[in-house]
Structure formats: C-alpha cells, structure tokens
Amino acid sequence: MTETSPWDQPRTSLFTDHYELTMLQASLHSGAAHRQCVFEAFSRRLPDGRRYGVVGGTGRLLEGITKFRFTDEELSFLERTHVVNAETLDFLAGYRFSGNVFGYAEGEAYFPNSPILIVESTFAEACILETYILSVLNHDSAIASAASRMTTAANGRPCIEMGSRRTHDESAVAAARAAVIAGFSSTSNLAAGLRYGIPTVGTAAHSFTLLHDTEREAFEAQVASMGPGTSLLVDTYDVERAVRTAVEIAGDRLGAVRLDSGDLIDQAHWVRQLLDELGNENTRIMVTSDLDEYAIAALQSAPVDAYGVGTALVTGSGAPTASMVYKLVAHTDDSGEFVSVAKAAKNKASVGGRKYALRRLDERGVASHEVVGIGRRPVDDGNDRSLLQHFIVDGELKPGWIGAEGVTKARERHAASLAELPSSVHRMHRGEPAIPTVYEEH
C-alpha cells in the first residue's frame, strides 16, 4: 500500500434510521437510557454454499464513529421535522461516544454467531449506532467474503477490482477497499487510492479504439503515450489481427493484452501460443468480462496472468449482504448488576451475555472450532488464538486500525486467518461452515 493522508470523512450521525432516535427519546423519558449495555453484531448464518465469511469495513466503521456528531445542521433538521423532542436534542448536541468497542480484526474469517463486533456503553450511546454499524459491516463483509473466494480461486494470480460503474459511487470506494483486504492486488477506483493508499491501475476501454480511424492508430497512440509496457485491449474487432498489430507496434516489451469477450478459456490458449510464436513470451494475458469465483476457477487451466473483476464482486457474488444483526445481549439492572438478555423469536433467536472468542487450533496450527465464552474468556488449551481486539477504549480510538495502515494490516490478517482453516475450505464446493462454533457458558 502507498502512503496517503487521512481522508476527511463527512459526519455520519444521520446515516441512521428514524427509530434509533425515537428509541433514544423514549429511553431518556423512562430513565433507562443511561443503563450500561452490551450490544453485539453477528450473523446467524452464512450465505448458501459459503463455508466462511470475511470481516470487512471495521476500519471505515471506526473512522465513522469518530465523526458521529450532531452539529447545528443536523439538530435543526431533527427539530423542524419533529423527529425528537427538546430533551433529546440537548442530549444529541453533546453526543460523543465514550464507551468501548471490541471485535474481530478486519480481514479475519468468521462463522455463524461469531461475535464480530461488541459495543459496551450506555444504551443511549450504543443504540443510535446500530444502523451505521450494520450498513458498513453488512456491505463490506459481503464484498470481502466474495473477494476472498475469488482470490482463493485465482490461486496466486492477481485479481484487479474494477466494479465502480456497477454500484453506487460511495459503495464503489468501499468495495475496492474490501476487495484489497481480501487479497485483490489493485483497483480502478481513484478515490480508493486517495483515501486508503490502494494501488490503482487502468489503460483504455473500447471507446478509445473506436475513437480512432483504425485500431493501429489507437494502439500507436497508447504505446506512444504510455510506453510499450502498457496493456492493449485486443477484442474490439478481430482478436488475432489485434494481437499481431499490438506486437508490431510495441515489440517484445508489450506489457499485456486484455481479452474481454468470447470464450475466454479457448482464446487465452491460442493467444498465448500466438504471442509466444511472435517472440512475446513475457507479454501477459489479462481477462475480464463478468467474472466470478466459478469463472476464475474454470480459468485455472488457461494461460491467464490476471483477472479483472467487476459486477460479481461489488454485488457480493450473489450475496450482497452479510445478514448481520446488532442485538442487545446484556444490561445493568436497577442495582447496577449486569443481566443477560436475548431475543427468543422463531428463527431469530439470539444468545444473551457478553461474549469472548478464540479459535481453537491443533498442533499443526489448523483451526478445529470457534469457541465463544459467555460471561468470561474460554480456557485456552495452549494452541488457541484470541479473536477479539480492543478498537476503542473509553471513547478513544486506538492507532493502527484506519487509513492505509489499517488496510495493510487487514490484508495481512486475512491471509493468516485463511491459512489456519482446513484445506477443504478453499475449494469451491458447497458444504457446512468450515469449523463449528461452540459455546462455553459459565
């Protein structure tokens, strides 16, 4: 990752739902707003066919919590639209999150019911963060989970994120960030490069070729401007003729050719043969065109050097949300003692109590279980790894989790976390979660 200056993120306080603030108002009225509480974000299930998920968005979320403020602009809006009363407006005017946030490190693999994020604070402070927490974690974890499957299928060949035109503008930046955390090498999105130090790449689209009177003129202009190491798009007209023209112009220093249509497996084979016959053994082949993890896996037998992935990535490859929820699991009673609470609704039950989590590893360092302790930390048998990190301490964000540094660390954590999982999890077949979650109650 390259160095970048911190991004001046906008205020996030109204990235929320109306009822978060009306709950705050009612709890201020009842007096329960200042009870100490424990909230937990988790997912009850993985998408069909998935064997693990990947935590994404934590760094963005932590940045956003520091910007969760109500200025005169927000307060005036809430007042004139009668969202909340004067007492609640007074509380919001001084809102600063002063609690603690724990969670799985970004890039970490997770499973059903993993306590991905834990917020300890008063009800008033923690309640109104719900929608923002879920919108960030659900989107970014969905993208990171899909990206992880794609980079696993690529088996070391670089994947490039290029889905900006297939999603909302801000979602595109978040998707690029999440993809790089899960192993993508670069992005086409310049805002992601600016904010998070992610390498950006790109050369030309079909319109550039169509702009010129001939394909040769287009290639000549691109090579003259960008150098022979550029990547030339060779499927605007006739692929074979374009490859020969590209080699004539750039010579054996031609960086890459890109294939964006047709039977990519078949084309990659004969284009590779043609390049080699023309003396361009070092010219790489990049493929694009609606790739997902299954298409990438199918291309493993082809002489492809890199994959450009767009639509499937930014839509979660069929799972656009991680289905996370944010639930109150404990609060203090009138005597100040913590009591566990849980939802019992059919198919939406939760497990009460403050959670602690570790990953149980065998003597080879391979994970066998996710152990979640309720009320206290599970017993470590000597090989285990604690999963919960302390991100915010009494309202103060600990260093190392945001910006370019946070992305780099999350990428490293993703690689290490996947290396712990059983080898079968890296195949594209369907099955149960890679490892089970076991509760230890005390």
Side-chain angles (χ1 to χ4, degrees):
M1 302 297 132
T2 58
E3 291 297 321
T4 184
S5 58
W7 173 47
D8 187 16
Q9 184 172 359
R11 294 186 301 275
T12 54
S13 56
L14 294 191
F15 293 165
T16 191
D17 287 317
H18 185 117
Y19 83 157
E20 308 291 3
L21 300 189
T22 53
M23 278 195 290
L24 169 63
Q25 176 176 309
S27 65
L28 287 169
H29 178 77
S30 72
H34 302 296
R35 283 183 168 181
Q36 291 296 313
C37 292
V38 180
F39 280 83
E40 176 188 332
F42 64 95
S43 181
R44 294 188 179 93
R45 64 189 66 84
L46 297 174
D48 290 345
R50 302 284 177 89
R51 307 200 65 202
Y52 67 94
V54 175
V55 178
T58 311
R60 287 206 311 121
L61 174 62
L62 296 173
E63 287 178 319
I65 290 176
T66 67
K67 296 288 187 177
F68 206 91
R69 302 283 189 270
F70 294 84
T71 68
D72 289 344
E73 182 181 9
E74 288 86 16
L75 294 170
S76 295
F77 164 75
L78 296 174
E79 182 178 27
R80 70 174 181 268
T81 55
H82 308 291
V83 174
V84 290
N85 62 16
E87 178 191 11
T88 308
L89 289 171
D90 287 343
F91 174 87
L92 294 175
Y95 181 87
R96 300 289 187 277
F97 181 77
S98 63
N100 291 276
V101 177
F102 303 80
Y104 283 33
E106 196 166 13
E108 186 75 69
Y110 73 86
F111 302 94
N113 300 306
S114 294
I116 292 167
L117 197 80
I118 295 172
V119 178
E120 296 179 343
S121 189
T122 64
F123 180 84
E125 287 191 5
C127 166
I128 62 176
L129 294 175
E130 175 180 6
T131 300
Y132 184 62
I133 286 172
L134 291 179
S135 66
V136 173
L137 291 182
N138 268 317
H139 175 269
D140 290 28
S141 296
I143 305 306
S145 299
S148 180
R149 286 163 59 85
M150 293 170 185
T151 54
T152 295
N155 195 29
R157 296 172 178 174
C159 293
I160 301 167
E161 187 283 315
M162 47 196 307
S164 295
R165 64 192 63 191
R166 297 291 186 257
T167 188
H168 180 272
D169 48 5
E170 283 295 334
S171 297
V173 184
R177 183 184 179 280
V180 168
I181 283 169
F184 272 59
S185 63
S186 54
T187 178
S188 65
N189 189 286
L190 292 174
L194 172 65
R195 297 179 191 177
Y196 304 112
I198 297 170
T200 62
V201 297
T203 52
H206 291 100
S207 60
F208 180 78
T209 300
L210 294 167
L211 169 69
H212 293 81
D213 293 335
T214 66
E215 188 171 57
R216 176 178 291 275
E217 289 179 11
F219 287 178
E220 287 174 341
Q222 184 175 329
V223 170
S225 174
M226 302 179 188
T230 190
S231 175
L232 294 174
L233 180 57
V234 295
D235 73 333
T236 305
Y237 305 116
D238 179 85
V239 174
E240 180 179 353
R241 185 177 64 188
V243 170
R244 292 183 181 277
T245 301
V247 171
E248 287 176 23
I249 294 168
D252 60 7
R253 294 170 58 198
L254 176 62
V257 295
R258 177 159 74 95
L259 302 172
D260 187 52
S261 59
D263 185 334
L264 297 176
I265 296 176
D266 178 65
Q267 280 193 104
H269 278 287
W270 67 256
V271 168
R272 178 75 273 158
Q273 182 178 352
L274 177 58
L275 286 168
D276 291 349
E277 290 173 355
L278 296 172
N280 280 49
E281 292 87 353
N282 295 322
T283 297
R284 294 169 291 113
I285 297 175
M286 176 183 176
V287 297
T288 53
S289 186
D290 292 328
L291 300 180
D292 60 12
E293 61 266 48
Y294 299 104
I296 292 171
L299 283 159
Q300 274 297 301
S301 62
V304 171
D305 298 287
Y307 307 96
V309 190
T311 303
L313 175 68
V314 300
T315 57
S317 196
T321 175
S323 300
M324 291 187 196
V325 294
Y326 181 78
K327 298 299 178 185
L328 178 66
V329 295
H331 66 77
T332 53
D333 58 20
D334 291 339
S335 66
E337 295 296 318
F338 270 99
V339 293
S340 297
V341 293
K343 185 176 177 179
K346 184 178 180 180
N347 299 324
K348 290 190 175 182
S350 58
V351 177
R354 207 285 193 189
K355 313 296 192 308
Y356 301 85
L358 59 79
R359 191 151 294 158
R360 184 137 291 159
L361 307 174
D362 63 20
E363 63 281 357
R364 297 170 299 144
V366 177
S368 61
H369 296 81
E370 195 101 321
V371 185
V372 176
I374 302 176
R376 72 180 187 187
R377 291 174 176 80
V379 177
D380 186 339
D381 69 2
N383 294 319
D384 302 334
R385 181 169 66 83
S386 179
L387 292 167
L388 292 178
Q389 308 291 327
H390 201 167
F391 301 127
I392 296 179
V393 182
D394 297 331
E396 296 297 322
L397 175 61
K398 294 177 70 174
W401 297 107
I402 65 173
E405 181 183 5
V407 172
T408 298
K409 288 185 175 181
R411 183 182 176 89
E412 293 169 352
R413 167 48 49 206
H414 172 259
S417 181
L418 259 61
E420 291 177 348
L421 300 184
S423 59
S424 62
V425 78
H426 303 304
R427 303 177 191 139
M428 286 294 103
H429 68 262
R430 298 176 183 274
E432 297 299 317
I435 59 174
T437 299
V438 176
Y439 286 102
E440 286 188 2
E441 298 191 44
H442 303 282

